[in-house]
Amino acid sequence: MIEFNKVTANIGAEVTGIDLTKPLDEEQVQIVRQGLLDNYVLFFRDQHINDEQHEAFAMNFGTLDIPKMNVDGGAIHVLDQTAPKGEGGDQWHSDNTFMKRPPTGSLLRCVILPEVGGDTNWANMYMVYDSLAPWLQRLCDELYAEHDLTMSISKAIDKGHRFDLRDMQDKNPPQIHPVVRVHPETGRKALYVNRSSVTRLIGLSRRENEAILPLLFDAVRDPQFQVRLKWRPGTMAFWDNRPTQHYAVADYTQRRKMHRVTFMAPTDLDSGVPTGPGGVTGEDAPSEASAARYL
């Protein structure tokens, strides 16, 4: 029997009673899906699976998403690092919010681990939104943010990864999303800004951005919103990308190899386009005719 054992009171559960080397039946899929909605990130221990089984498990929950950084066009994104500091994972973020339809969820599997270090943290962004003062919640409900891949790609290039920045920018122009994202399956509000991708709040002056954005970025840092995973080879983490952010702790100098798959939920559950209060999307953001406000 599949069981969910909470790791903290507010986010995260370890899953037992399931074998990811075997196909799941529909009842098991529904149980895991509900467990994800209830706990936001799930941890599966001692699951020594291969890439094909990894992909098969992900496909139970939607369509595989091909990462923009995978030049080979495969669904498995390999994170193979020995000097991770400053590469981007060591910042609170949600995966690929610079896309018009960011991935619904991610499944990260531990393959090789340093002797010590390399943990990952996740944060409950429902709670982060709920922690804001009511006046700030109301403001955020009306705001939109620009998400751009330039910052994250530039960090990767600085660390020696071979990407054509201009080509990536041309293929992935900045996207505008609501600052507050309403989860299409739970109806709950989550704060939806992160330091890795968000460049500015739409319609606000530079001074207003300088005052408000750091406050929103830093709201994630309270430990009561977080769970921290100590990896072991064979551990799989499965998270809902919509109400969570995560942070890869860059405290190691030995090899750490992880395989990640991202997916898009079925369109009858989620269109994939981040939607805010009242059903608004980035297309509803105000026009910015008064460029002088940015001087």
Side-chain angles (χ1 to χ4, degrees):
M1 182 174 68
I2 299 176
E3 294 183 343
F4 302 91
N5 304 298
K6 285 188 172 294
V7 180
T8 75
N10 297 321
I11 179 173
E14 285 202 4
V15 186
T16 59
I18 190 170
D19 183 353
L20 301 188
T21 66
K22 300 177 181 178
L24 273 60
D25 60 36
E26 186 57 35
E27 181 181 7
Q28 290 175 311
V29 171
Q30 293 304 323
I31 290 171
V32 173
R33 178 180 284 118
Q34 188 60 51
L36 184 65
L37 293 175
D38 293 341
N39 297 287
Y40 326 126
V41 57
L42 302 177
F43 305 133
F44 302 81
R45 295 290 194 183
D46 302 317
Q47 302 287 340
H48 298 281
I49 61 176
N50 57 34
D51 287 347
E52 183 178 354
Q53 291 164 332
H54 190 160
E55 292 183 12
F57 179 56
M59 287 190 289
N60 287 301
F61 306 97
T63 304
L64 296 186
D65 175 63
I66 307 302
K68 300 293 183 181
M69 299 178 188
N70 278 14
V71 293
D72 63 358
I76 296 285
H77 182 55
V78 177
L79 300 165
D80 195 345
Q81 299 168 292
T82 56
K85 193 170 181 61
E87 289 206 352
D90 54 337
Q91 247 183 355
W92 284 105
H93 65 285
S94 299
D95 285 333
N96 301 348
T97 62
F98 56 81
M99 298 170 61
K100 183 175 182 179
R101 297 176 69 238
T104 305
S106 302
L107 301 99
L108 184 65
R109 177 174 114 247
C110 180
V111 180
I112 298 174
L113 200 63
E115 291 180 12
V116 65
D119 296 354
T120 303
N121 297 342
W122 285 264
N124 177 345
M125 300 308 292
Y126 292 140
M127 286 194 70
V128 174
Y129 173 83
D130 291 342
S131 74
L132 302 178
W135 68 267
L136 188 51
Q137 290 179 346
R138 291 192 295 271
L139 175 63
C140 290
D141 285 349
E142 298 180 3
L143 290 176
Y144 301 81
E146 180 183 76
H147 296 243
D148 191 340
L149 60 58
T150 301
M151 289 186 289
S152 56
I153 291 294
S154 295
K155 286 182 178 181
I157 293 172
D158 289 344
K159 295 290 286 188
H161 297 279
R162 295 183 178 181
F163 294 113
D164 185 326
L165 177 59
R166 181 58 61 85
D167 181 64
M168 294 288 284
Q169 290 172 323
D170 289 344
K171 292 178 179 177
N172 302 276
Q175 298 294 326
I176 296 173
H177 299 310
V179 164
V180 175
R181 184 172 187 174
V182 178
H183 196 292
E185 297 179 71
T186 68
R188 296 183 63 185
K189 295 179 179 179
L191 189 65
Y192 198 64
V193 294
N194 68 85
R195 285 188 185 275
S196 289
S197 296
V198 170
T199 56
R200 63 192 177 100
L201 299 170
I202 301 300
L204 301 191
S205 69
R206 182 176 297 169
R207 285 185 180 179
E208 290 165 341
N209 266 283
E210 289 173 350
I212 296 173
L213 258 186
L215 176 65
L216 299 183
F217 288 152
D218 290 345
V220 70
R221 291 187 174 183
D222 192 322
Q224 69 172 315
F225 308 142
Q226 302 171 15
V227 63
R228 181 165 178 150
L229 174 66
K230 183 173 181 58
W231 294 95
R232 299 196 300 260
T235 297
M236 168 89 80
F238 179 16
W239 67 93
D240 189 335
N241 204 44
R242 299 164 291 187
T244 65
Q245 289 188 20
H246 54 283
Y247 183 112
V249 182
D251 61 348
Y252 57 92
T253 56
Q254 296 173 314
R255 189 181 184 192
R256 178 182 184 267
K257 185 178 181 182
M258 316 290 280
H259 287 196
R260 188 187 68 190
V261 172
T262 55
F263 70 91
M264 298 298 303
T267 54
D268 61 330
L269 296 177
D270 186 356
S271 71
V273 178
T275 302
V280 301
T281 68
E283 294 183 354
D284 299 301
S287 58
E288 295 184 296
S290 54
R293 296 199 73 211
Y294 292 91
L295 298 178

